């Protein structure tokens, strides 16, 4: 009986120590994961909870010309039996640079964290997100496009948001459109995105 009690106290002390050191433990895990994938990144772990983790001041890629920056990202985990699963992401102040070519989207250092050899068509992940301030600068064979989006919901279904798109010039099939602008809603239902609003050009 006394041995069992001593073991229980020891386990509780170890759990308490792990909770006290949770930010350092998480930081080592993230750094090991990024190092294993040779991803250049910097960040600050603000808080680690049972279900929600907050990371801020994220910079991925060359600090002088990063592929992604974000003010804060909150990650919600679903805790159950087995490995915790990603439930939702809330992001604020996100800035992403990328380019589209040969039917693929390239995002610099972020490409090291996904399967670039996959033959599957480009698709959004099955995850709940909330974007309060997100900008994407995208280079394409037809011209550059800037996108600003806010919204929330599942990226495969039931996402609702607002989208602003701008391009100084888009060219293709012998035609050129200058001063392209879109201001409207974006919805995703059953994997398919819908755009509702005016599209104009000079």
């Amino acid at each position: 009986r006394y041995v069992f009690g001593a073991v229980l106290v020891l386990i509780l002390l170890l759990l308490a120590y792990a909770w006290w050191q949770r930010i350092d433990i998480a930081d080592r895990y993230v750094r090991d994961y990024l190092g294993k994938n040779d991803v250049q990144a910097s960040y600050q772990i603000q808080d680690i909870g049972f279900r929600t983790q907050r990371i801020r001041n994220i910079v991925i890629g060359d600090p002088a010309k990063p592929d992604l920056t974000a003010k804060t990202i909150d990650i919600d985990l679903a805790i159950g039996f087995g490995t915790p699963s990603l439930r939702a992401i809330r992001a604020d102040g996100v800035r992403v640079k990328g380019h589209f070519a040969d039917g693929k989207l390239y995002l610099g250092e972020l490409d090291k964290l996904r399967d670039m050899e996959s033959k599957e068509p480009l698709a959004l992940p099955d995850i709940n997100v909330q974007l309060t301030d997100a900008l994407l600068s995208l280079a394409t064979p037809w011209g550059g496009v800037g996108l600003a989006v806010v919204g929330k919901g599942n990226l495969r279904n039931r996402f609702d948001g607002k989208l602003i798109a701008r391009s100084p010039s888009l060219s293709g099939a012998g035609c050129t459109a200058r001063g392209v602008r879109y201001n409207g809603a974006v919805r995703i239902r059953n994997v398919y995105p819908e755009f509702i609003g005016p599209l104009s050009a000079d």
Side-chain angles (χ1 to χ4, degrees), residues 34-54:
L34 294 174
K36 179 181 177 181
N37 290 279
D38 193 30
V39 174
Q40 184 178 4
S42 63
Y43 58 90
Q44 294 175 331
I45 297 179
Q46 182 173 336
D47 189 31
I48 299 293
F50 282 112
R51 292 184 180 273
T52 301
Q53 285 62 242
R54 167 165 285 192

Side-chain angles (χ1 to χ4, degrees), residues 181-186 194-200:
R181 301 176 296 277
Y182 173 83
N183 287 53
V186 55
E194 300 174 353
F195 302 94
I196 304 169
L199 176 66
S200 61

Side-chain angles (χ1 to χ4, degrees), residues 53 74-78 83-89 126-128:
Q53 285 62 242
D74 290 346
I75 302 171
D76 289 350
L77 299 176
T83 304
S85 59
L86 185 60
R87 184 175 62 180
I89 293 177
D126 183 12
I127 188 173
N128 294 318

Side-chain angles (χ1 to χ4, degrees), residues 11-30:
I11 292 175
L12 291 175
L13 288 174
L14 289 174
L15 289 174
Y17 177 78
W19 178 251
W20 181 50
Q21 295 289 327
R22 65 192 185 280
I23 292 181
D24 290 337
I25 294 172
D27 183 49
R28 287 195 296 270
Y29 176 82
V30 173

